[in-house]
């Protein structure tokens, strides 16, 4: 009986090398993501404010200052790089270098947005008699510590041996999140408007259209939580973010600049509130867009990374 050739046996048993990443394709898509995010953050943001009539011609704010402009460039660049460099092995030197750069950039961007940029715009909107011009010292230290911790988490985040998602638990969590969102976005505003009007404070009634928008947003928020391990999470979350922006634009547009009650007048910086809320939502939406691209380009990869299943024992196979 002829013995098998040693060379052919070795070749047959050799492990299959991993596929070579398609770097030109990843770089091209990453560049497209970066440009799209920058266009949304830099140009479309102010276009929406003017289109909805929330930015009057005599407004003290007509665009981003140079520091905010540079921040959006960094955010867009790192979002695109996140997609382009996704095939890097996390434990390789290049993977560690990317995570270190991303962590430093994340901490710096968060600190600048929360500490300096927020007050740059608030000080332009608030009346000159306002006694508040910056954060109190304890909050200043808290924002600094928070930015450092989130940047460090980005660097040190690793895959953990989670069990397969328990769908019953995820559905229950989605229902709880949806109900909580409905309470905060629909029921509570209706109650507050009714209470203020009954006390003689002139505020606009809550439109019925916003009840539907808030209800649909609550439904999508809960569905996104339940669908997080699947590729449907990204599109659902993007849809929820679009409704959230529309909701806040209309609500803040309806809010009065000044609320007067007897001899007390409270000035409400509605434009400042809108700027902060929409900026946060747009940054979150940028991450959802990247997640959607990754899920459809490499189906199942994110689920395998976030919810890895233990290897099946050889004896259990039939």
């Amino acid at each position: 009986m002829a013995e098998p050739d040693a060379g052919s046996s070795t070749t047959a048993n050799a492990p299959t090398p991993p596929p070579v990443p398609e770097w030109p394709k990843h770089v091209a898509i990453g560049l497209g993501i970066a440009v799209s995010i920058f266009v949304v953050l830099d140009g479309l943001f102010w276009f929406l404010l003017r289109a909805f009539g929330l930015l009057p011609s005599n407004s003290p704010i007509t665009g981003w200052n140079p520091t905010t402009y540079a921040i959006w460039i960094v955010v867009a660049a790192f979002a695109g790089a996140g997609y382009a460099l996704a095939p890097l092995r996390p434990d390789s030197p290049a993977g560690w270098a990317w995570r270190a750069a991303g962590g430093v950039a994340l901490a710096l961007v968060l600190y600048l947005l929360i500490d300096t940029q927020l007050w740059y715009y608030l000080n332009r909107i608030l009346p000159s008699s306002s006694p508040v011009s910056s954060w109190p010292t304890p909050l200043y230290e808290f924002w600094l510590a928070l930015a450092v911790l989130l940047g460090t988490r980005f660097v040190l985040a690793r895959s953990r041996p989670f069990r397969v998602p328990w769908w019953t638990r995820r559905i229950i969590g989605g229902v709880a999140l949806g109900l909580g969102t409905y309470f905060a976005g629909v029921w509570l505003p209706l109650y507050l408007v009714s209470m203020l009007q009954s006390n003689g404070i002139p505020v606009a009634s809550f439109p019925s259209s916003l009840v539907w928008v808030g209800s649909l947003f609550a439904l999508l928020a809960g569905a996104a939580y339940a669908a997080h391990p699947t590729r449907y999470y990204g599109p659902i979350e993007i849809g929820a973010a679009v409704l959230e922006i529309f909701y806040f634009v209309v609500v803040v547009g309806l809010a009065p600049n000044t609320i007067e009650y007897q001899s007390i007048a409270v000035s409400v910086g509605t434009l400042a509130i809108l700027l902060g809320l929409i900026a946060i939502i747009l940054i979150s939406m940028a991450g959802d867009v990247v997640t959607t691209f990754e899920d459809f380009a490499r189906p199942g990869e994110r689920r395998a990374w976030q919810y890895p299943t233990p290897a099946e024992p050889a004896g259990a196979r039939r």
Side-chain angles (χ1 to χ4, degrees):
M1 184 175 180
E3 295 182 358
D5 180 66
S8 62
S9 176
T10 303
T11 304
N13 295 329
T16 304
V20 179
E22 300 178 358
W23 288 110
K25 176 182 176 181
H26 282 279
V27 171
I29 295 177
L31 181 61
I33 292 173
V35 172
S36 301
I37 291 174
F38 177 74
V39 169
V40 170
L41 292 176
D42 179 63
L44 189 57
F45 180 83
W46 295 103
F47 172 79
L48 287 175
L49 290 182
R50 296 184 181 95
F52 282 99
L54 295 172
L55 188 66
S57 57
N58 58 348
S59 172
I61 302 178
T62 57
W64 304 117
N65 65 51
T67 303
T68 311
Y69 185 83
I71 287 174
W72 297 146
I73 294 177
V74 172
V75 169
F78 271 86
Y83 181 89
L85 301 178
L88 288 175
R89 289 181 52 195
D91 294 330
S92 65
W96 276 109
W98 155 242
R99 286 158 64 183
V104 172
L106 174 63
L108 183 60
V109 164
L110 288 175
Y111 175 73
L112 289 177
L113 284 176
I114 294 175
D115 182 64
T116 64
Q117 295 306 291
L118 178 60
W119 283 106
Y120 174 85
Y121 295 104
L122 285 178
N123 285 331
R124 285 175 171 265
I125 298 172
L126 293 173
S128 58
S129 59
S130 174
V132 181
S133 61
S134 62
W135 299 113
T137 302
L139 276 180
Y140 173 86
E141 297 171 351
F142 175 76
W143 299 141
L144 180 60
L146 181 64
V148 173
L149 287 175
L150 290 176
T152 304
R153 183 184 181 279
F154 181 88
V155 177
L156 301 179
R158 302 291 299 275
S159 177
R160 297 180 180 179
F162 294 116
R163 295 183 300 172
V164 178
W166 181 25
W167 283 108
T168 303
R169 177 176 58 82
R170 298 202 66 82
I171 292 174
I172 292 175
V175 170
L177 177 61
L179 291 175
T181 304
Y182 177 83
F183 172 82
V186 178
W187 185 90
L188 187 59
L190 286 172
Y191 172 77
L192 291 176
V193 167
S194 175
M195 182 186 67
L196 291 173
Q197 289 177 344
S198 63
N199 284 277
I201 299 177
V203 293
S205 298
F206 201 72
S208 58
S209 59
L210 278 186
V211 174
W212 288 102
V213 172
S215 301
L216 184 56
F217 168 63
L219 178 64
L220 290 181
Y225 178 88
H228 186 268
T230 71
R231 67 168 66 179
Y232 302 106
Y233 165 77
I236 295 176
E237 190 74 4
I238 292 172
V242 172
L243 287 175
E244 191 176 9
I245 291 176
F246 177 81
Y247 176 89
F248 282 124
V249 166
V250 176
V251 167
V252 176
L254 292 172
N257 291 325
T258 303
I259 298 176
E260 296 184 1
Y261 179 67
Q262 296 180 357
S263 61
I264 301 174
V266 179
S267 178
V268 181
T270 54
L271 182 58
I273 296 173
L274 182 67
L275 287 172
L277 291 174
I278 294 184
I280 294 172
I281 297 170
L282 288 175
I283 293 174
S284 176
M285 188 188 295
D288 297 330
V289 171
V290 175
T291 299
T292 302
F293 273 110
E294 292 177 342
D295 281 348
F296 280 86
R298 297 184 296 278
E301 181 176 303
R302 181 171 61 86
R303 176 170 181 168
W305 184 82
Q306 291 186 331
Y307 306 97
T309 56
E312 184 181 3
R317 298 175 183 171
R318 294 287 186 268

